[in-house]
Amino acid sequence: MLNRRLFLASAAATLATGCVSSRQVAPQPAGPTYQGRPIAPEYLQMYRAMPEERFPIPAVDLSKIDPAYYRRLVDYYSPEPAGTIIVDTANRYLYLTMEGGKAMRYGVGIGRAGFEWGGRARIQYKRAWPTWTPPAEMIARQPELEEFRNGMPPALDNPLGARALYIFEGRKDTLYRLHGTSEYWSIGKAVSSGCVRLLQQDIIDLYNRVPDGTPIIVRQA
């Protein structure tokens, strides 16, 4: 009788265990996600914090940015020579052309309607942690910027961010820049006053890849 009771108790435990296992919840991603999809570790590393910078840069919250705008190497045919910057304002991308039909692609934010610039020019020079000097026309529209007429010192909240590339047509400064931003929500949108903005980590990457004199083409939408 004792053995029969032990057998029945063991069978009941086995059935109960089987019932529990059949109702297990699917495992959840351990790391950050975008709309429920895991973010690949290489992107977390790509957009890591950069404490080594003059002004430490925090990691990007990639859960708030469409992965379509993460930096990546893509297939890209262009008649332009390798080493040309092409800004596709309609699709909010910047391409740096490479050999073999490839390009490094970056997500960007572009100028609001009425402030866009487009054309063929070059990067006259570039600066790390630049001073921002608003144009007189901008100060006229936004008098609160008067205090920066002679320049706003470098800082993480400086509108030019960690790096700036200065666009010239011939010898003329267009007053437009490729620059960094901490406003991650602006990537993929038309929000700034004419300049092309990239995430801080992306503008640093681009800055390190291109020399002064790099040709640039900005295609208007």
Side-chain angles (χ1 to χ4, degrees), residues 4 7 44 65 78 82 94-95 114 147 164 167 174 176 186 213 219:
R4 177 177 173 79
F7 172 79
L44 298 176
I65 301 176
S78 172
L94 181 153
Y95 296 90
E147 65 175 302
I167 303 173
T174 66
Y176 294 100
S186 68
R219 295 173 176 163

Side-chain angles (χ1 to χ4, degrees), residues 48-130:
R48 65 176 177 83
M50 304 182 76
E52 70 276 12
E53 281 288 323
R54 176 180 173 186
F55 300 96
I57 297 172
V60 179
D61 184 355
L62 294 180
S63 68
K64 305 293 179 59
I65 301 176
D66 188 328
Y69 297 114
Y70 298 171
R71 183 197 330 153
R72 65 189 67 194
L73 183 67
V74 298
D75 294 326
Y76 185 74
Y77 170 76
S78 172
E80 304 298 331
T84 301
I85 294 172
I86 300 174
V87 181
D88 177 356
T89 60
N91 294 300
R92 314 297 196 256
Y93 288 128
L94 181 153
Y95 296 90
L96 175 61
T97 61
M98 297 179 170
E99 300 287 351
K102 299 288 185 179
M104 188 62 69
R105 189 182 74 188
Y106 308 81
V108 301
I110 63 170
R112 298 189 304 263
F115 293 97
E116 300 98 334
W117 173 85
R120 185 181 289 265
R122 73 179 186 284
I123 302 302
Q124 177 74 2
Y125 56 89
K126 53 185 186 172
R127 296 287 184 268
W129 294 106

Side-chain angles (χ1 to χ4, degrees), residues 15-34:
L15 289 173
T17 302
C19 182
V20 171
S21 64
S22 67
R23 296 179 183 175
Q24 286 181 341
V25 177
Q28 297 300 307
T33 64
Y34 175 80

Side-chain angles (χ1 to χ4, degrees), residues 181-199:
T181 184
S182 296
E183 297 176 345
Y184 60 83
W185 50 265
S186 68
I187 301 302
K189 298 180 174 61
V191 293
S192 67
S193 296
C195 296
V196 178
R197 55 174 63 185
L198 295 80
L199 294 169

